[in-house]
Amino acid sequence: METLNNILNDISSLLWGWPMIILLLGTHIFLTIRLHFPQRKIFTAIRLSVKRDKGSTGDVSQFGALATALAATIGTGNIIGVATAVALGGPGAVLWCWLTGVFGISTKYAEGLLAIKYRVKTAQGKMLGGPMYALERGLGWKTMAILFAIFTAFASFGIGNTVQANAIATLAKESYSLSPYITGIIVSLLAAAVILGGVKSIARVCSALVPVMALFYIFGCIYILFVNGAYLIPAMKIIVESAFTPQAAGGGFVGSTVMMTARFGIARGLFSNESGLGSAPIVAAAAQTRNPVRQALVSSSGTFWDTVVICALTGLVIVSSIIAYPDISYTDGAALTHAAFCKIPYIGSPLLTFGLLTFTFSTILGWSYYGERAVEYLGSKFKSSRNAKTVYRILYIVGIFLGSVANLSMVWSIADCMNALMAIPNLLSLIFLNGVIVSETRKYLWSGKLDENM
């Protein structure tokens, strides 16, 4: 088992090495230029995300689709992941993470557009879409579409299910001495109550949960930055300087090269916002929207909140805390985050615990929808979509319990591999269908016809 785990780690490192980082970041930059910097429309995107698009077709509101995508995206990567990037790559990793989010807005926009453009309506009136439909209907790549769906289904049991359940169980045991078995049963039952209700149930819960958990976390970060106010400007300065110059060890920071700093920052940004992964457009396809560009803009706002806001705040909290308390040196992401939040009197540790618990649980809900739609797509190809969906839901709920009580060192490696394998066909669809993306953008956005129906 140890040998197999080492092999999987090597494969994961290979898949998420510089070629993948260059492909992802390169796609972000290419689409940003090709689409004339859609980041300029971010405030329009935010405005559309909170408006109901009356008279349009879809299963859930635009905000419901966005909340479900954010539920699956905002997770431990925003809290522990950013701190880990700082611990391994130095403070400059925060800037690279942030820049990845800024450029990733374009990719998330493109994903959302293709999700609506190529979605299909079932006999039951449901909207189905995502990269597998763009690959099949837009490019005629049926085999690649099936592979994407397979990778997504497997990934949902990893990064979206067992590892999240394990994080909740570990946190509950360390904080409240609660048995992982009890935690597993509770989380499984709570998740089942939501998941069995389908996309409308998931979207309804996520719409209520995501704003609350995000606001609590953001306010906590702002309070810490207020406490560390004297160190905020020095923190910004060292983040910018060390992003482009080698960082020597000292002052609580590890030494790092520019390449190391860029790698950890970019990789963490990509993991955090999932732009280019192909997961978010699966739920974007269910949105009630009058044309593809409106939902594309709404989808792009998810990357803004996830990385440009939350990850940036986390990075500033971590770096300013290290500067403020130089007598303690941390090289572990979890320890860095815990140390920073403990500066909030009385409620710091509970606030971090609440954030992690809600972030991980919401990720379980969001990814259950991604996996179910992937399985439903596969079932339609093999004439067993109804049975496949039912079996998937049962296995997913069982997976939550197993993840709570099992050792998941190997599951992490498998999940990382599946995520990388998801990204490759999705990125290819974005690159080869860039003409369609530009055409739709010109039709509705550049011509000022954003309110027209498709």
Side-chain angles (χ1 to χ4, degrees):
M1 293 297 289
E2 184 177 351
T3 302
L4 179 58
N5 194 36
N6 290 334
I7 293 173
L8 288 171
N9 282 330
D10 291 340
I11 295 174
S12 175
S13 298
L14 178 64
L15 287 172
W16 282 108
W18 275 111
M20 174 62 77
I21 290 175
I22 292 170
L23 176 61
L24 273 163
L25 189 58
T27 302
H28 291 350
I29 296 172
F30 168 72
L31 290 172
T32 294
I33 297 171
R34 190 84 168 88
L35 296 169
H36 302 173
F37 291 82
Q39 292 87 344
R40 297 179 294 110
K41 299 293 184 179
I42 192 62
F43 292 109
T44 300
I46 294 171
R47 176 177 58 81
L48 290 174
S49 69
V50 295
K51 288 179 62 178
R52 183 174 291 275
D53 209 348
K54 296 180 180 180
S56 54
T57 56
D59 300 331
V60 296
S61 67
Q62 289 181 309
F63 181 75
L66 174 64
T68 303
L70 280 174
T73 304
I74 298 177
T76 53
N78 301 84
I79 304 177
I80 307 298
V82 175
T84 300
V86 173
L88 297 176
V94 175
L95 181 62
W96 287 108
C97 178
W98 186 81
L99 288 173
T100 301
V102 171
F103 285 108
I105 289 173
S106 299
T107 300
K108 193 64 72 75
Y109 169 93
E111 289 178 318
L113 190 152
L114 292 181
I116 300 297
K117 175 70 176 177
Y118 293 110
R119 69 181 179 180
V120 298
K121 191 173 185 178
T122 67
Q124 293 75 35
K126 292 190 304 181
M127 292 294 186
L128 303 179
M132 51 277 204
Y133 293 91
L135 286 162
E136 179 181 344
R137 303 183 70 213
L139 293 169
W141 297 355
K142 294 183 179 180
T143 301
M144 192 74 81
I146 291 173
L147 287 174
F148 175 86
I150 292 173
F151 297 145
T152 302
F154 277 108
S156 71
F157 283 100
I159 198 65
N161 182 321
T162 52
V163 297
Q164 303 297 332
N166 189 263
I168 294 175
T170 301
L171 187 62
K173 183 178 181 181
E174 292 177 353
S175 302
Y176 308 105
S177 300
L178 196 63
S179 167
Y181 289 91
I182 296 176
T183 303
I185 292 173
I186 294 173
V187 176
S188 297
L189 291 175
L190 289 174
V194 180
I195 292 170
L196 295 177
V199 64
K200 292 184 179 180
S201 175
I202 294 172
R204 186 166 56 249
V205 172
C206 291
S207 295
L209 186 60
V210 167
V212 173
M213 71 182 193
L215 284 174
F216 265 96
Y217 182 72
I218 289 172
F219 285 140
C221 288
I222 292 173
Y223 178 85
I224 296 173
L225 292 176
F226 177 78
V227 172
N228 295 347
Y231 306 98
L232 190 55
I233 298 301
M236 292 180 179
K237 183 178 178 181
I238 195 172
I239 286 172
V240 174
E241 289 180 349
S242 59
F244 304 103
T245 57
Q247 176 70 30
F253 296 108
V254 296
S256 59
T257 64
V258 175
M259 293 294 285
M260 182 189 301
T261 299
R263 179 184 177 186
F264 284 113
I266 293 170
R268 183 43 52 201
L270 297 173
F271 269 118
S272 173
N273 59 55
E274 295 184 9
S275 295
L277 190 63
S279 52
I282 296 175
V283 70
Q288 297 166 350
T289 185
R290 67 187 72 179
N291 62 62
V293 170
R294 289 176 72 92
Q295 183 54 38
L297 288 169
V298 172
S299 294
S300 72
S301 69
T303 299
F304 172 80
W305 292 119
D306 177 86
T307 306
V308 179
V309 175
I310 295 179
C311 283
L313 284 174
T314 303
L316 283 172
V317 164
I318 297 300
V319 176
S320 64
S321 295
I322 294 175
I323 297 174
Y325 309 100
D327 55 318
I328 303 176
S329 177
Y330 298 99
T331 56
D332 176 76
L336 270 173
T337 309
H338 186 265
F341 272 82
C342 280
K343 302 308 173 185
I344 304 179
Y346 307 111
I347 66 168
S349 184
L351 179 63
L352 178 60
T353 300
F354 173 79
L356 286 170
L357 286 174
T358 52
F359 284 9
T360 49
F361 182 70
S362 66
T363 299
I364 289 173
L365 298 181
W367 268 93
S368 72
Y369 181 78
Y370 297 159
E372 182 178 312
R373 285 294 173 260
V375 167
E376 192 168 358
Y377 174 83
L378 292 170
S380 68
K381 299 303 173 186
F382 300 102
K383 312 301 181 184
S384 59
S385 58
R386 180 174 297 180
N387 292 336
K389 185 171 69 173
T390 302
V391 171
Y392 173 82
R393 287 181 175 180
I394 294 172
L395 291 177
Y396 195 86
I397 294 166
V398 171
I400 295 171
F401 176 78
L402 295 177
S404 301
V405 301
N407 186 329
L408 299 180
S409 57
M410 188 178 295
V411 174
W412 270 109
S413 299
I414 296 174
D416 285 345
C417 292
M418 291 298 106
N419 283 343
L421 292 173
M422 282 176 63
I424 293 171
N426 178 59
L427 291 170
L428 290 175
S429 72
L430 294 173
I431 293 169
F432 282 93
L433 290 172
N434 77 88
V436 174
I437 299 167
V438 170
S439 176
E440 293 293 310
T441 302
R442 181 182 295 110
K443 179 179 179 181
Y444 294 106
L445 184 61
W446 296 345
S447 62
K449 298 179 181 178
L450 198 56
D451 293 330
E452 288 194 0
N453 293 319
M454 55 183 169

